[in-house]
């Protein structure tokens, strides 16, 4: 059985756990760095990226996360999780893990449209467009030459990206009943 860990320091980790369990995956809340050795894939959930990064450093996760993910652990960041994985932010906070060759702009859709939904085609997701939920969402403003853009929203803004073993989405598939993006990630762990 595939074992997926969800970083459970802050944010909506339990929504991911519920979807994973509905797909018959052994889903585990990750609260200690050593637990990263026992999983086939990792999800860094949405929440508040400054808080998540602060807790990553307080609980001494940074070095272990960088090592394990660089060595190939399939990893998916949703929203704040995408910010945490980025190489560069347009903000001066937080200090991200710099694992994915992307530049990210936090809260990119402005205050008045902090949250919205949009049906978007995602490369690798079969069937009808995916209902993407954006909550104070970031966008990817620049990608490196090895980063693939899987989805874009209005004005060509990248909202789903993939680079080797890392997937990033600026929206929240865990807040829908549609399991297709989780399945896309599970395929990366096979
Ligand atoms: N705006 C949040 C941040 O910058 C991310 C929001 C989310 O994860 N839904 O961390």
């Amino acid at each position: 059985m595939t074992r997926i860990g969800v970083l459970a320091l802050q944010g909506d980790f339990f929504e991911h756990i519920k979807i994973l369990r509905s797909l018959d995956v052994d889903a585990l809340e990750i609260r200690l760095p050593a637990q990263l050795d026992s999983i086939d894939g990792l999800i860094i959930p949405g929440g508040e990226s400054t808080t998540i990064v602060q807790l990553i450093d307080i609980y001494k996760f940074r070095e272990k996360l960088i090592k394990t993910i660089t060595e190939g652990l399939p990893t998916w960041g949703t929203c704040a999780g995408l910010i945490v994985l980025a190489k560069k932010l347009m903000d001066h906070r937080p200090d991200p893990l710099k694992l994915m060759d992307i530049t990210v702009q936090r809260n990119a859709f402005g205050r008045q449209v902090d949250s919205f939904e949009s049906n978007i085609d995602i490369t690798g997701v079969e069937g009808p467009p995916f209902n993407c939920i954006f909550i104070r969402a970031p966008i990817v403003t620049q990608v490196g030459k090895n980063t693939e853009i899987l989805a874009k929203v209005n004005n060509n803004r990248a909202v789903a990206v993939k680079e080797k073993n890392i997937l990033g989405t600026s929206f929240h598939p865990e807040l829908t009943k549609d399991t297709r993006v989780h399945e896309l990630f599970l395929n990366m762990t096979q």
Side-chain angles (χ1 to χ4, degrees):
M1 202 187 207
T2 311
R3 194 158 201 239
I4 303 293
V6 186
L7 191 65
L9 299 175
Q10 192 264 341
D12 72 339
F13 52 88
F14 199 65
E15 279 65 25
H16 279 291
I17 300 258
K18 276 192 282 192
I19 291 216
L20 291 167
R21 288 186 181 153
S22 81
L23 292 169
D24 275 335
V25 167
D26 179 12
L28 167 83
E29 290 178 17
I30 301 289
R31 296 182 187 274
L32 292 170
Q35 289 175 295
L36 295 170
D37 290 327
S38 68
I39 52 177
D40 305 307
L42 173 71
I43 296 178
I44 304 181
E48 182 53 44
S49 58
T50 49
T51 309
I52 294 176
V53 170
Q54 214 170 16
L55 294 169
I56 281 175
D57 288 328
I58 288 174
Y59 291 101
K60 307 260 181 291
F61 264 102
R62 184 178 287 263
E63 205 180 313
K64 181 84 179 172
L65 278 170
I66 291 174
K67 181 170 189 289
T68 334
I69 299 171
T70 305
E71 285 173 356
L73 180 71
T75 300
W76 173 21
T78 54
C79 204
L82 167 75
I83 297 168
V84 171
L85 290 166
K87 184 167 174 182
K88 235 166 124 183
L89 304 181
M90 290 171 77
D91 266 300
H92 62 284
R93 262 175 7 129
D95 178 23
L97 297 179
K98 308 175 189 72
L99 290 166
M100 201 177 202
D101 194 5
I102 52 174
T103 304
V104 172
Q105 181 184 359
R106 296 174 62 205
N107 303 321
F109 294 96
R111 284 175 193 275
Q112 61 285 39
V113 274
D114 277 349
S115 305
F116 64 99
E117 295 182 24
S118 182
N119 292 326
I120 300 173
D121 282 315
I122 303 171
T123 304
V125 171
E126 303 285 320
F130 196 88
N131 178 228
C132 299
I133 301 178
F134 295 88
I135 304 169
R136 303 188 66 230
I139 51 157
V140 178
T141 56
Q142 257 178 25
V143 297
K145 62 175 184 328
N146 296 318
T147 314
E148 189 189 351
I149 296 175
L150 303 183
K152 287 178 174 177
V153 74
N154 41 345
N155 300 334
N156 272 346
R157 299 163 138 205
V159 291
V161 284
K162 184 170 180 272
E163 184 181 318
K164 289 184 272 180
N165 54 315
I166 309 178
L167 176 68
T169 57
S170 56
F171 51 91
H172 290 271
E174 74 284 8
L175 298 182
T176 66
K177 296 220 175 325
D178 192 335
T179 57
R180 288 178 294 161
V181 182
H182 284 79
E183 288 168 69
L184 176 76
F185 176 60
L186 291 173
N187 283 335
M188 289 170 57
T189 70
Q190 300 309 306

